[in-house]
Amino acid sequence: MGTPIVITGTGLFTPPYSISNAELAASLTIAATAWNEAHAAEIADGALVARTLPDEEFIERASGIRSRYVVDRDGVLDPTRLRPHLPTRAEDQHSLQVEMALPAVQEALAQAGRRPDEVDCVIVGCSNIQRAYPAVAIELQAALGAGGWGYDMNVACSSATFSM
Protein backbone atom coordinates (compact mmCIF):
# COMPACT_ATOMS: atom_id res chain seq x y z
CA MET A 1 0.00 0.00 0.00
CA GLY A 2 2.93 2.35 0.53
CA THR A 3 3.66 5.08 3.02
CA PRO A 4 0.69 7.35 3.73
CA ILE A 5 1.14 11.01 2.91
CA VAL A 6 0.14 13.41 5.67
CA ILE A 7 0.41 17.15 6.19
CA THR A 8 2.26 17.65 9.47
CA GLY A 9 2.99 21.36 9.23
CA THR A 10 1.99 24.45 7.32
CA GLY A 11 3.60 27.84 6.89
CA LEU A 12 2.67 31.27 5.68
CA PHE A 13 4.55 34.23 4.27
CA THR A 14 2.98 37.63 4.84
CA PRO A 15 4.48 40.52 2.88
CA PRO A 16 5.87 43.28 5.08
CA TYR A 17 3.69 46.21 3.92
CA SER A 18 -0.03 46.91 3.99
CA ILE A 19 -2.15 49.15 1.76
CA SER A 20 -5.61 50.29 2.86
CA ASN A 21 -8.49 50.89 0.48
CA ALA A 22 -8.25 54.61 1.24
CA GLU A 23 -4.60 54.66 0.15
CA LEU A 24 -5.33 52.58 -2.93
CA ALA A 25 -8.33 54.74 -3.91
CA ALA A 26 -6.25 57.92 -3.53
CA SER A 27 -3.54 56.57 -5.82
CA LEU A 28 -6.02 55.23 -8.37
CA THR A 29 -7.88 58.56 -8.35
CA ILE A 30 -4.70 60.41 -9.28
CA ALA A 31 -4.00 57.90 -12.07
CA ALA A 32 -7.58 57.98 -13.42
CA THR A 33 -7.73 61.78 -13.30
CA ALA A 34 -4.43 62.05 -15.20
CA TRP A 35 -5.63 59.52 -17.80
CA ASN A 36 -8.95 61.37 -18.25
CA GLU A 37 -7.11 64.68 -18.67
CA ALA A 38 -4.64 63.17 -21.18
CA HIS A 39 -7.54 61.73 -23.22
CA ALA A 40 -10.01 64.61 -22.81
CA ALA A 41 -10.44 65.14 -26.56
CA GLU A 42 -11.16 61.44 -27.25
CA ILE A 43 -13.56 61.34 -24.31
CA ALA A 44 -15.36 64.46 -25.58
CA ASP A 45 -15.60 62.91 -29.09
CA GLY A 46 -17.06 59.70 -27.64
CA ALA A 47 -14.11 57.58 -28.84
CA LEU A 48 -13.16 56.76 -25.23
CA VAL A 49 -15.08 56.53 -22.00
CA ALA A 50 -13.76 58.46 -19.02
CA ARG A 51 -12.35 56.32 -16.25
CA THR A 52 -14.47 56.45 -13.12
CA LEU A 53 -12.90 57.59 -9.90
CA PRO A 54 -12.66 54.84 -7.28
CA ASP A 55 -13.63 55.10 -3.65
CA GLU A 56 -12.71 52.88 -0.73
CA GLU A 57 -16.28 51.71 -0.07
CA PHE A 58 -16.69 50.52 -3.67
CA ILE A 59 -13.40 48.61 -3.50
CA GLU A 60 -14.56 46.80 -0.36
CA ARG A 61 -18.04 46.06 -1.78
CA ALA A 62 -16.60 44.78 -5.07
CA SER A 63 -13.76 42.73 -3.60
CA GLY A 64 -14.50 42.17 0.07
CA ILE A 65 -11.00 43.43 0.80
CA ARG A 66 -10.28 46.23 3.30
CA SER A 67 -6.50 46.17 2.99
CA ARG A 68 -3.86 44.03 1.34
CA TYR A 69 -0.30 43.02 2.06
CA VAL A 70 2.32 43.79 -0.58
CA VAL A 71 6.03 43.31 -1.14
CA ASP A 72 6.55 46.76 -2.66
CA ARG A 73 4.20 49.43 -1.34
CA ASP A 74 5.84 52.35 -3.17
CA GLY A 75 5.50 50.82 -6.63
CA VAL A 76 1.88 49.79 -6.09
CA LEU A 77 0.86 53.23 -4.80
CA ASP A 78 2.81 55.19 -7.43
CA PRO A 79 0.01 56.56 -9.70
CA THR A 80 2.35 56.42 -12.69
CA ARG A 81 3.19 52.76 -12.07
CA LEU A 82 0.45 50.98 -10.05
CA ARG A 83 2.46 47.76 -9.76
CA PRO A 84 5.40 46.59 -7.67
CA HIS A 85 9.03 47.11 -8.58
CA LEU A 86 10.45 43.58 -8.83
CA PRO A 87 14.02 43.97 -10.06
CA THR A 88 15.60 41.09 -11.91
CA ARG A 89 17.94 39.16 -9.67
CA ALA A 90 21.10 37.36 -10.68
CA GLU A 91 20.97 33.57 -10.78
CA ASP A 92 23.31 33.38 -7.79
CA GLN A 93 20.76 35.32 -5.68
CA HIS A 94 17.55 33.93 -4.23
CA SER A 95 14.56 34.75 -6.40
CA LEU A 96 11.80 36.74 -4.76
CA GLN A 97 9.66 33.59 -4.70
CA VAL A 98 12.32 31.67 -2.76
CA GLU A 99 12.71 34.61 -0.40
CA MET A 100 8.96 34.43 0.24
CA ALA A 101 8.87 30.62 0.50
CA LEU A 102 11.70 30.22 3.02
CA PRO A 103 9.88 31.60 6.10
CA ALA A 104 6.76 29.57 5.25
CA VAL A 105 8.74 26.36 4.77
CA GLN A 106 10.73 26.94 7.95
CA GLU A 107 7.47 27.43 9.86
CA ALA A 108 6.01 24.24 8.39
CA LEU A 109 9.17 22.26 9.24
CA ALA A 110 9.10 23.57 12.81
CA GLN A 111 5.46 22.53 13.22
CA ALA A 112 6.26 19.10 11.81
CA GLY A 113 9.33 18.70 14.01
CA ARG A 114 11.51 18.14 10.94
CA ARG A 115 14.84 19.42 9.68
CA PRO A 116 15.46 20.65 6.11
CA ASP A 117 17.89 17.76 5.45
CA GLU A 118 14.98 15.35 6.02
CA VAL A 119 13.08 16.82 3.05
CA ASP A 120 13.40 14.68 -0.07
CA CYS A 121 10.88 16.38 -2.34
CA VAL A 122 10.11 20.06 -2.95
CA ILE A 123 7.12 20.96 -5.11
CA VAL A 124 6.47 24.64 -5.74
CA GLY A 125 3.12 25.70 -7.15
CA CYS A 126 2.85 29.19 -8.59
CA SER A 127 0.81 30.71 -11.38
CA ASN A 128 3.73 32.78 -12.60
CA ILE A 129 7.43 32.20 -12.04
CA GLN A 130 9.98 34.97 -11.78
CA ARG A 131 12.47 33.15 -13.97
CA ALA A 132 12.46 29.81 -15.73
CA TYR A 133 15.92 28.69 -14.69
CA PRO A 134 16.88 27.57 -12.17
CA ALA A 135 13.51 26.17 -11.13
CA VAL A 136 12.09 27.81 -8.02
CA ALA A 137 11.79 24.39 -6.34
CA ILE A 138 15.48 23.67 -6.96
CA GLU A 139 16.45 27.11 -5.66
CA LEU A 140 14.33 26.51 -2.56
CA GLN A 141 15.80 23.05 -2.11
CA ALA A 142 19.33 24.46 -2.20
CA ALA A 143 18.46 27.32 0.16
CA LEU A 144 17.04 24.84 2.67
CA GLY A 145 19.78 22.25 2.32
CA ALA A 146 17.18 19.66 1.31
CA GLY A 147 17.85 16.70 -0.96
CA GLY A 148 15.84 14.57 -3.36
CA TRP A 149 14.11 16.26 -6.21
CA GLY A 150 12.42 19.58 -6.88
CA TYR A 151 9.63 20.34 -9.29
CA ASP A 152 7.79 23.53 -10.25
CA MET A 153 4.06 23.25 -10.96
CA ASN A 154 3.31 26.20 -13.22
CA VAL A 155 -0.30 25.53 -14.21
CA ALA A 156 -1.77 29.05 -14.11
CA CYS A 157 -4.73 29.32 -11.73
CA SER A 158 -4.60 25.60 -10.91
CA SER A 159 -0.97 25.54 -9.73
CA ALA A 160 -1.91 25.06 -6.08
CA THR A 161 -4.38 22.25 -6.77
CA PHE A 162 -1.98 20.47 -9.11
CA SER A 163 0.80 20.80 -6.52
CA MET A 164 -1.28 19.21 -3.80
Side-chain angles (χ1 to χ4, degrees):
M1 176 141 200
T3 304
I5 297 173
V6 295
I7 296 173
T8 57
T10 61
L12 175 68
F13 168 78
T14 302
Y17 308 106
S18 178
I19 296 175
S20 70
N21 285 346
E23 293 169 307
L24 185 60
S27 179
L28 292 172
T29 296
I30 293 168
T33 301
W35 189 91
N36 289 341
E37 289 171 0
H39 295 89
E42 295 102 328
I43 292 168
D45 291 342
L48 292 175
V49 176
R51 292 185 176 173
T52 58
L53 302 182
D55 65 75
E56 59 185 295
E57 291 81 20
F58 172 79
I59 294 171
E60 184 176 348
R61 275 194 323 274
S63 67
I65 298 171
R66 291 188 183 125
S67 67
R68 71 264 321 123
Y69 291 100
V70 296
V71 173
D72 175 40
R73 179 181 160 80
D74 294 339
V76 173
L77 289 178
D78 178 350
T80 63
R81 184 170 177 83
L82 299 175
R83 62 188 184 280
H85 291 279
L86 302 176
T88 301
R89 295 180 178 187
E91 288 186 15
D92 63 344
Q93 295 177 296
H94 291 311
S95 65
L96 179 60
Q97 289 165 314
V98 166
E99 189 176 294
M100 294 184 329
L102 277 170
V105 171
Q106 290 163 342
E107 182 181 347
L109 288 170
Q111 286 177 15
R114 298 290 184 179
R115 298 182 319 271
D117 64 339
E118 294 176 289
V119 174
D120 59 6
C121 170
V122 174
I123 299 173
V124 172
C126 48
S127 60
N128 203 351
I129 54 177
Q130 187 172 355
R131 56 184 177 212
Y133 181 84
V136 178
I138 292 171
E139 277 189 85
L140 182 56
Q141 204 174 25
L144 288 167
W149 53 278
Y151 191 76
D152 285 356
M153 294 297 294
N154 186 335
V155 196
C157 295
S158 290
S159 293
T161 53
F162 273 70
S163 297
M164 290 189 289

